[in-house]
Each structure stands twice: as C-alpha cells, then as structure tokens.
Amino acid sequence: MRAMHLSPDDALLMQIVDDLAERGWSQQNLFLPEALTRKLALECRKRAAEGELAPAGVGRGAAQEVREGIRGDHIQWLEPAQAESCDEYLAVMDALRQALNRGLFLGLEDFESHFALYPPGAFYRRHVDRFRDDDKRMVSAVIYLNDAWLPEHGGQLRMFPKGGDPFDVQPVGGCLAVFLSGDMPHEVLPATRERLSLTGWFRRRGSEPF
Ligand code: OGA
Ligand code: MN
C-alpha cells in the first residue's frame, strides 16, 4: 500500500476544521484508507493477544484507578517507531493538528493516543475528556477499526452537544469522530462484539510557569 500523505490544507482536513468551528464536532466516515484501517486493527489485536493492553484507569496521575462501572476498555498508549501502521496514523494526525492550528489558532503542540479494545458488554459512562486539574486536552479524535459493524452490534459513541439533540456515531472501520474535548459530554454504549479504536487528544501547552 502507498503511504498516506496528507497536507494540512487537504480539503478533508479543512472540512473538519470548518465543522469544529461551526458546531464543535465533525464526523468523517471515510477518513482512513481501508488498508491502513485493516493494518491498525491487526496491530491492535496482536498487542491484545500479547497481553500489552491493560484495563484503562479513570482520573489522572496518582488519583487514577480502574473502575469497570465507569469504563471497561483495555488500552495501550502509542509510541512512535513501534509499527509502520501506527507511524502512518501519527503522521495523518499530525497533518490534522497543523490544520487545526492554522484554522482555529489553538496552539496544539502535541498528540497523545492509545489503542482501545472494549470486550463485549464493556462501556464508558458519560464523561468529558478534560480533567478538572489539567486543561491541556483541546480536541479529541477517535478512529474506529471495526470490520462490518452493524447498528445492532451496539457500541455507538453517543454525543450530547450543548443546546442540540444527542446523536450517535457508529464505530465503523475508517470513521473519524472529532470534537472539542472540554465541551462535548459523550459515552460509549455496550456492544455485542469486540470494539476496537484509536483514541487521541491534541493538547496545548499547559499553564504551568516553565
Ligand atoms: C474515550 C472515549 C470514545 C469512543 O476514550 O475517552 O470517549 O468512541 N472514547 O471510543
Ligand atoms: Mn471520552
């Protein structure tokens, strides 16, 4: 497969920037090429089989704890240079970061992301992606890695926009959901089958004095 090269002024990225400016979220059903989605799904499954994914925690730093009544997914944080497919994903997300900076002046300086695997029945209760003691997360981006997902499988990302009606995003392979981290309560509904994704956050520099 040819590597995906996106420039920050690609029409798709500009559309995302416009959506975020207008309503605080965007959904792109055909964001990743199929071949890359497939490779990322394989990578996620391989890591899960090797025991590299761990139950996700709730909260930040020392206060973090695993609470399956709040979220039941298993995650592994991404590092560069571990796998070609992951690096390709990181390059795409960096093009999006630059587009967001150009269009919205957010001053996004880095991106943190993890694979997430929700076993059947697992969910993530309604929350926002910004911590009370840490407001660096500005934009959330979730990419789904699921082949042949049907609505009856469940697992929807349910969003609760301020002043608008709740709506669902189906976790279909290659689909990207992006939203402003501080502004969009959301939840993950339980599914009848395993649900894979890559979830990431664009962050600005913190307000600490250094
Ligand atoms: C999260 C999250 C949404 C999804 O990891 O914070 O809300 O659809 N994920 O997986
Ligand atoms: Mn979230």
Side-chain angles (χ1 to χ4, degrees):
M1 190 197 96
R2 216 165 66 82
M4 185 177 174
H5 294 291
L6 272 183
S7 107
D9 52 14
D10 183 277
L12 185 59
L13 301 183
M14 305 282 270
Q15 181 61 55
I16 295 170
V17 170
D18 287 349
D19 287 347
L20 280 176
E22 272 168 35
R23 58 185 189 190
W25 61 273
S26 183
Q27 175 181 347
Q28 301 299 327
N29 289 333
L30 300 172
F31 186 69
L32 282 194
E34 233 177 276
L36 179 55
T37 303
R38 207 173 321 116
K39 280 197 285 180
L40 289 165
L42 278 174
E43 182 68 24
C44 182
R45 286 220 174 78
K46 182 182 116 202
R47 293 178 185 209
E50 288 168 354
E52 290 176 8
L53 272 58
V58 173
R60 191 103 177 141
Q64 197 179 67
E65 50 184 340
V66 172
R67 291 176 66 185
E68 281 165 6
I70 297 180
R71 70 183 289 193
D73 57 330
H74 295 227
I75 67 164
Q76 188 192 33
W77 293 95
L78 248 65
E79 301 291 345
Q82 292 175 328
E84 197 187 316
S85 57
C86 294
D87 286 352
E88 241 177 276
Y89 159 77
L90 290 173
V92 169
M93 299 317 272
D94 200 63
L96 177 54
R97 182 186 67 81
Q98 292 178 50
L100 292 168
N101 280 343
R102 286 190 196 175
L104 302 174
F105 308 104
L106 289 176
L108 305 172
E109 295 198 333
D110 71 37
F111 181 68
E112 57 178 3
S113 60
H114 61 57
F115 279 115
L117 185 155
Y118 287 74
F123 52 82
Y124 194 160
R125 292 246 186 265
R126 181 172 165 151
H127 65 280
V128 288
D129 281 349
R130 198 182 270 178
F131 302 107
R132 234 166 308 168
D133 59 342
D134 177 352
D135 61 359
K136 292 198 275 297
R137 287 179 170 180
M138 299 296 288
V139 177
S140 306
V142 192
I143 291 183
Y144 301 104
L145 307 176
N146 306 298
D147 197 30
W149 195 275
L150 298 173
E152 55 264 38
H153 294 144
Q156 290 80 8
L157 168 64
R158 181 159 292 168
M159 311 251 249
F160 301 90
K162 282 195 186 111
D165 291 330
F167 64 94
D168 291 347
V169 176
Q170 305 292 332
V172 173
C175 171
L176 166 77
V178 200
F179 51 91
L180 298 178
S181 304
D183 251 20
M184 180 71 84
H186 57 280
E187 70 179 322
V188 177
L189 303 180
T192 57
R193 53 177 274 207
E194 197 170 79
R195 176 191 193 271
L196 307 180
S197 61
L198 268 168
T199 304
W201 296 272
F202 297 99
R203 306 194 308 169
R204 64 177 176 200
R205 195 201 296 270
S207 47
E208 306 93 298
F210 52 75

